[in-house]
Amino acid sequence: MGFPADWLITLILVGLLTPSACYNFCNSSRSYMSLHVPTNIRQLRVGDISLVAGLGDSFTVANGARSTSFSRVHEEYRGDSFSAGGRGAYEYGSTTFPNILRVFSRHLYGYALGPGNVTSFNARFNMAEAGAAFRHMPVQARRLIYKMKNDPYIDFQNDWKIVNLFTGQHDQCMACANMTKYSPAIYKNTVRETLDILKENLPRTLVNLIEPFNLGLIEEMMRLDPFCYYASRFLECDCDIFTNKTQMQQLASGYGRALRDLVKTGRYDGNNTFAVVIQPFFRNFSLPRNGPGIPDALFFAHDCLHFSSSSHGVLGIALWNSMLSMPADKATNVNIDANVMCPSTEYIPISN
């Protein structure tokens, strides 16, 4: 694959300014890149990944992540997105998934560079959109494919890709009006359609299928800060979190089961160039708490709904560690004090 001049300059500067000891915080005697580009996804190493992309809603957009007031929580800080943002670098404390991956794959391309909407230069392959529901994922998948096919700096057929798919949050905020429309069954069918599109049109791709975040948990935050309640209720979430907390919890749980059931069908097994792996770290997520046991407001943006920039760093580590873990070892909660894992298997685990 080739790179635009500005990208090459960035890579060179990072190489010149980064201490050599920081290039790889893992065992330097191990090889994390294949000698030859693999043709089988089950022989894929982290250093073989060339492209990273994200599909989803405002949680992948990173709404309000670096906001300094509520008036800015609708700003899109894509470069801070835990799954598809690459602002800064791991060496300087930014632990989004792409930034960790860049430690092993210095040629990585596609992560969002900074703020901006989906059509901005900074967005790159972060195709998520604020307000997007799961029904919008097939469209996002097609737009991603089109954008990759028309990017002159990548080898569409041969570059190995990771697509992080995270959807189902915004739907919890709308389901109270029509539970049938937002049912786990329809969610499952729509995610299946999205994955089928990627499978048929995006060669050499690993999809990290991230279980949804339970918005019902935010109810405790709302009780502590009435402003957060009114702001989210009337500006962001159509459903009242106080009266619909249980429904949201059930919906998030149902969406997670739907994803697991879909993958267990074996629909995406046995393909040498495409795979889907469940990443379950939100399944039993609990709110981080401070010393007195009060939910830690610093984990969230000023709306108490979206994640703060520092939390995107925590979640980037959670996604990375989950991807490197065998199915039985994948965490179903987020450890905010977790360290970045080094690959302990020769290849990225491709199993559920």
Side-chain angles (χ1 to χ4, degrees):
M1 63 183 289
F3 295 98
D6 65 323
W7 203 257
L8 287 174
I9 292 172
T10 300
L11 290 174
I12 292 170
L13 288 175
V14 168
L16 291 175
L17 297 176
T18 303
S20 59
C22 289
Y23 266 91
N24 199 325
F25 51 85
C26 298
N27 188 344
S28 59
S29 66
R30 283 193 57 186
S31 174
Y32 298 103
M33 179 183 292
S34 302
L35 184 61
H36 302 287
V37 178
T39 57
N40 191 316
I41 198 167
R42 286 160 187 82
Q43 297 176 336
L44 189 64
R45 293 182 168 95
V46 290
D48 298 327
I49 304 299
S50 296
L51 306 173
V52 64
L55 306 179
D57 54 26
S58 56
F59 288 81
T60 298
V61 166
N63 263 31
R66 301 181 66 81
S67 61
T68 55
S69 65
F70 181 80
S71 63
R72 300 185 64 184
V73 294
H74 289 293
E75 294 181 5
E76 302 182 5
Y77 297 88
R78 291 174 183 270
D80 290 83
S81 170
F82 78 92
S83 60
R87 186 190 66 85
Y90 172 85
E91 292 83 359
Y92 304 115
S94 179
T95 54
T96 64
F97 176 88
N99 279 345
I100 300 171
L101 183 55
R102 285 166 61 193
V103 174
F104 302 90
S105 177
R106 287 287 165 176
H107 58 284
L108 189 68
Y109 180 80
Y111 49 83
L113 302 173
N117 64 25
V118 71
T119 62
S120 67
F121 172 83
N122 281 340
R124 294 293 170 112
F125 297 146
N126 182 338
M127 304 303 294
E129 293 190 74
F134 65 71
R135 70 178 183 273
H136 298 117
M137 293 306 105
V139 173
Q140 287 188 20
R142 291 189 178 96
R143 288 174 177 169
L144 172 63
I145 293 163
Y146 177 84
K147 193 169 185 178
M148 282 191 173
K149 280 185 174 180
N150 289 276
D151 192 315
Y153 304 111
I154 71 174
D155 185 339
F156 180 79
Q157 292 296 329
N158 297 308
D159 285 340
W160 281 101
K161 311 162 189 71
I162 284 183
V163 176
N164 294 319
L165 174 55
F166 184 41
T167 185
Q169 289 72 230
H170 189 63
D171 307 272
Q172 296 173 51
C173 272
M174 299 186 291
C176 59
N178 188 337
M179 277 296 291
T180 301
K181 182 178 179 181
Y182 297 99
S183 70
I186 296 179
Y187 177 85
K188 177 182 176 181
N189 290 338
T190 307
V191 172
R192 180 179 62 197
E193 178 187 354
T194 305
L195 294 174
D196 286 353
I197 291 169
L198 295 174
K199 178 183 176 182
E200 296 301 319
N201 298 281
L202 204 61
R204 296 193 173 186
T205 297
L206 168 61
V207 178
N208 283 322
L209 194 55
I210 304 167
E211 292 190 19
F213 172 58
N214 170 18
L215 291 189
L217 294 171
I218 304 300
E219 183 258 0
E220 190 173 359
M221 293 288 299
M222 302 301 175
R223 292 190 183 279
L224 293 173
D225 189 341
F227 176 78
C228 284
Y229 167 71
Y230 288 108
S232 65
R233 174 68 181 87
F234 296 106
L235 298 177
E236 294 184 310
C237 197
D238 292 346
C239 298
D240 188 309
I241 294 181
F242 284 169
T243 58
N244 292 280
K245 173 184 175 180
T246 300
Q247 181 189 70
M248 289 179 170
Q249 292 175 326
Q250 293 173 343
L251 202 58
S253 179
Y255 286 168
R257 284 194 301 272
L259 296 182
R260 298 194 293 277
D261 290 344
L262 173 59
V263 172
K264 286 178 181 177
T265 64
R267 188 179 186 89
Y268 307 105
D269 296 346
N271 190 309
N272 289 336
T273 61
F274 185 86
V276 179
V277 179
I278 294 282
Q279 309 302 351
F281 53 90
F282 275 121
R283 186 182 304 169
N284 298 314
F285 180 84
S286 56
L287 293 180
R289 299 178 184 275
N290 57 27
I294 298 173
D296 188 357
L298 296 179
F299 195 83
F300 296 96
H302 280 78
D303 60 359
C304 304
L305 180 67
H306 293 93
F307 305 128
S308 65
S309 179
S310 60
S311 297
H312 276 281
V314 169
L315 297 173
I317 294 175
L319 175 55
W320 171 264
N321 289 354
S322 185
M323 185 185 75
L324 294 186
S325 300
M326 298 300 291
D329 299 324
K330 291 184 185 292
T332 58
N333 201 342
V334 175
N335 178 1
I336 62 173
D337 297 316
N339 294 318
V340 177
M341 286 175 52
C342 294
S344 59
T345 57
E346 185 174 6
Y347 306 117
I348 299 173
I350 306 294
S351 55
N352 289 284

